[in-house]
């Protein structure tokens, strides 16, 4: 479960070009739910940096397996719209 999510901003160049974007990112967490790594699976160069910057600030509730906090991997879709 996502416990903390920073907002992302559509990059100025994308706003000027009136572009929207969809990215798919694999997130690896630590045992405590902090984002350890983000791997872009499907991206758009105009949005990549903004998406990764925001995702690296996300935090998840720890995954508890047999009473032990455990790292996990989750795949998320990130959308950028004209704001």
């Amino acid at each position: 479960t996502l416990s903390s999510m920073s907002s992302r901003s559509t990059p100025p160049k994308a706003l000027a070009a009136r572009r929207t974007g969809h990215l798919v990112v694999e997130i690896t967490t630590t045992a405590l739910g902090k984002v350890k790594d983000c791997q872009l699976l499907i991206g758009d160069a105009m949005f990549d940096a903004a998406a990764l910057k925001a995702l690296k600030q996300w935090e998840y509730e720890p995954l508890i397996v047999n009473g032990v906090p455990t790292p996990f991997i989750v795949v998320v879709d990130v959308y950028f719209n004209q704001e």
Side-chain angles (χ1 to χ4, degrees), residues 8 10 20-24 47 51 76-81 83:
R8 68 205 176 296
T10 301
T20 60
H22 172 230
L23 296 88
V24 179
F47 299 96
V76 298
D77 290 281
V78 180
Y79 294 92
F80 286 89
N81 300 308
E83 297 174 3

Side-chain angles (χ1 to χ4, degrees), residues 16-39:
R18 303 195 49 74
R19 294 263 317 268
T20 60
H22 172 230
L23 296 88
V24 179
V25 182
E26 180 183 89
I27 298 173
T28 302
T29 71
T30 66
L32 298 177
K34 296 199 181 295
V35 173
K36 179 180 177 183
D37 186 45
C38 295
Q39 201 66 12

